[in-house]
Amino acid sequence: VVVDQIIRPTILGMAEEGHSYTGFLYVGLMLTIDGPRVVEYNCRLGDPEAQVVLPLLKSDLAELFGACAESRLAEIQVEHRRGAAACVVLCSGGYPGPYKKGLEIRGLSRASEQGAVSVVHAGTAVDGDSILTAGGRVLGVTAVGGSLQDALHRVYQVVPHIQFDGMFYRRDIGQKGLQHLKGR
C-alpha cells in the first residue's frame, strides 16, 4: 500500500516535473484509520530511521553508495533480509527541553551481550572507563527479529538493562504497526 500509494507516485511525480533525485528519501508516515499519511519527507539517512533499515539490508551499502554516485543504481539488485527491526531511543530527562549532561550510563555491556540487538551511541561521551550522557537523544537500541512482534519483544527485553539518571523512552514504539498488521 505505502509503495503503491505514496512512494511510487512521489518518485514518478518528481520525475515528471524534471526533478531527478539520487540519494535517500525518507518518508515519515503516520498510520491512521484511513490508511497511512505522510508526515514528512527527508533527504538524509537519519537516525533512528537508519537504525531499523540498515540491519535488514543484505546488499553492500558501500556498493549502493558508489552506484548512486556513478548514476548506475538501476544496475544494482538491492536485497533485504526477511524479518523486521525496531529501534527505541533512550533520552535524557527533560529532552527536548533542557537536560543534564555528564550522567553515567550503566548496563551497556550487559545489553551488548544480547543477540540480534545493537546499541548506537548518539549523545554520549567517554570519560576514562565511563560512558556519559552528552545529548538529549542518548542511545538507539535496535533489535532484529523474524517479525515486528519478535523485534519489539527483543528490544524491550534489552532496554531495562541500560540505565542513567532521568532516562526515559517511549513504550509504544511499533504498537500501531502491530495493530495494522493484525488488521490485515
Side-chain angles (χ1 to χ4, degrees):
V1 173
V2 172
V3 171
D4 292 336
Q5 294 179 2
I6 297 171
I7 307 292
R8 192 169 285 119
T10 298
I11 301 300
L12 292 174
M14 288 170 37
E16 286 173 13
E17 293 180 9
H19 303 292
S20 63
Y21 183 78
T22 301
F24 293 98
L25 183 61
Y26 165 75
V27 182
L29 301 173
M30 180 179 294
L31 298 178
T32 72
I33 292 172
D34 298 323
R37 298 290 183 250
V38 176
V39 175
E40 67 175 335
Y41 287 98
N42 212 322
C43 57
R44 64 178 172 82
L45 188 58
D47 61 296
E49 298 87 9
Q51 293 170 35
V52 294
V53 172
L54 294 180
L56 298 174
L57 182 65
K58 202 174 188 180
S59 299
D60 183 301
L61 187 59
E63 182 180 1
L64 294 174
F65 285 154
C68 283
E70 297 167 0
S71 297
R72 56 178 183 80
L73 187 57
E75 301 169 14
I76 304 293
Q77 179 70 33
V78 180
E79 296 181 66
H80 297 90
R81 291 178 176 81
R82 290 195 156 292
C87 181
V88 174
V89 177
L90 308 185
C91 298
S92 291
Y95 175 80
Y99 51 85
K100 292 181 181 177
K101 296 179 183 177
L103 303 171
E104 185 175 4
I105 303 169
R106 300 170 304 281
L108 288 171
S109 60
R110 187 161 179 214
S112 66
E113 294 169 356
Q114 308 301 313
V117 176
S118 62
V119 179
V120 176
H121 293 245
T124 63
V126 177
D127 183 18
D129 291 336
S130 298
I131 305 292
L132 309 176
T133 63
R137 296 191 334 179
V138 178
L139 299 164
V141 182
T142 303
V144 175
S147 66
L148 179 56
Q149 187 167 353
D150 184 33
L152 288 167
H153 177 75
R154 288 179 189 206
V155 78
Y156 283 115
Q157 290 290 312
V158 171
V159 165
H161 295 300
I162 302 170
Q163 298 143 11
F164 54 89
D165 292 344
M167 180 182 97
F168 74 94
Y169 56 93
R170 291 183 46 184
R171 290 167 170 79
D172 65 332
I173 299 297
Q175 295 309 309
K176 284 190 178 184
L178 281 178
Q179 292 169 2
H180 177 74
L181 290 172
K182 289 178 183 176
R184 283 183 174 179

